[in-house]
Amino acid sequence: MLDPHIMMLVALVFVAAGTIKGLVGIGLPTASVGRMAQFIDPKLAVSLVVVPIVLVNGWQAYRQGQFLTAVWQFRWLAVAMVPVLFATTFITSTIDSNALVLWLGLVVVLFAATSLFFQPPALPARLDVPAQGVAGVAAGVLGGVTSIWAPPVIIYLLSRRVEKEDFVRASGAILFCGSIPLIAGFLANGLLRSSTALMSASMVIPALVGFSLGEYLRRNLDAERFRTMVLVFFLIMGLNLMRRALF
């Protein structure tokens, strides 16, 4: 078990990460794992985010509605992502902690950079199915190792020119589908034990509090400006993780 002061800091991280999630529909594992990995073991950070990912993404999918419609629309992405993500979770327990920090940094930088600077070309409808497959495999590999599988999903949704509310709905549905094999894989490979699962479950409430705050901000503030500030923070955080791992 972590020191109570560290647990309080972890809870605050989940409030902040939940706020970002409620505002832009993505970013819970990116924000929470990336920040926690700077003061606790990165493998523990990856494990602690598992239960909040499942429940918060499930709540987001419920709040946005039309869950089954979104799942059906992006079914090939989910079909590719789910088995790859489950299989890749077994790599996480074998990775050196320093290498995992480097992986985390790379993924966070990729997440921030693609969202800030990259506008992929529009994807023709005829290429939608293979593009979903590629995005699903890439998301599965990243998600299984780091619990962060948003970057390939974001690139795919941007290339499909998905509108704001549809983006939040689609990302919630896709990320919820990915959270099921993630938690199953972590239980199977031993990264999520009873004590870790209890700590992870205790972070659901802070994450949901933050999520509610983020939804309020999405309705009442300039979400685009706040999103840009968050992504710049992610970029700096990811570069700092890479610096730690390399030097």
Side-chain angles (χ1 to χ4, degrees), residues 15 31 76 104 114-115 165 213:
V15 171
W76 300 116
L104 286 169
T114 53
S115 302
E165 291 302 319
L213 176 59

Side-chain angles (χ1 to χ4, degrees), residues 63-82:
R63 293 279 289 171
Q64 290 299 124
Q66 298 180 322
F67 173 75
L68 293 179
T69 301
V71 170
W72 180 253
Q73 183 179 358
F74 304 108
R75 61 193 180 278
W76 300 116
L77 196 158
V79 165
M81 176 179 65
V82 167

